[in-house]
Amino acid sequence: MAVITHARPSLEVDYRTLSTDDQDRFDQLMERADHAGPHDYQPLMDTLAVLTGINARDVARCSCYTDAYGCGCAAIFDTALPGAVVTATNSPNCNLSQLQCPTCGHDHPRPITD
Ligand SMILES: [Zn+2]
Ligand SMILES: [Zn+2]
């Protein structure tokens, strides 16, 4: 019987496993990406992808990290992953939406209700 091994590409990393320097860089790059113009956004996201080692066009940190109702999850993940749940759309003049990682989106989703 064949054993199927699930080789997992790096689609998620835990924010807490980053060095404090990289956490600072991540926060700063996300802040800049949030307010970046159309030409600056993708280079910032590409830098974030390299920083986190996630091969993605867009990355996000699970909204459970800062949300008062969150579980404390600190996953950084590809926003294109199936199962990611949008919990808040971007506010005017900002690029980034709030998302839950697929695990949280499955376990305790809080999709936009308004
Ligand atoms: Zn999560
Ligand atoms: Zn969660």
Side-chain angles (χ1 to χ4, degrees):
M1 198 166 126
V3 177
I4 299 166
T5 52
H6 293 275
R8 286 195 158 253
S10 189
L11 297 175
E12 282 188 29
V13 295
D14 192 319
Y15 178 79
R16 296 188 194 87
T17 64
L18 300 176
S19 68
T20 48
D21 282 354
D22 282 350
Q23 288 180 1
D24 287 346
R25 287 184 64 202
F26 181 89
D27 291 342
Q28 287 166 15
L29 287 163
M30 284 299 265
E31 182 70 23
R32 285 169 61 191
D34 199 15
H35 301 286
H39 298 295
D40 296 328
Y41 179 76
Q42 195 57 51
L44 288 164
M45 273 295 156
D46 291 345
T47 306
L48 280 158
V50 171
L51 177 70
T52 55
I54 298 174
N55 183 23
R57 268 186 72 79
D58 278 280
V59 299
R61 185 171 58 190
C62 185
S63 68
C64 279
Y65 184 73
T66 49
D67 195 297
Y69 302 99
C71 65
C73 171
I76 301 166
F77 57 97
D78 182 352
T79 60
L81 278 181
V85 173
V86 178
T87 58
T89 50
N90 54 312
S91 39
N93 306 316
C94 294
N95 294 315
L96 304 178
S97 304
Q98 298 289 314
L99 288 99
Q100 283 182 302
C101 73
T103 305
C104 289
H106 179 267
D107 290 348
H108 44 264
R110 287 180 302 98
I112 305 164
T113 49
D114 59 9

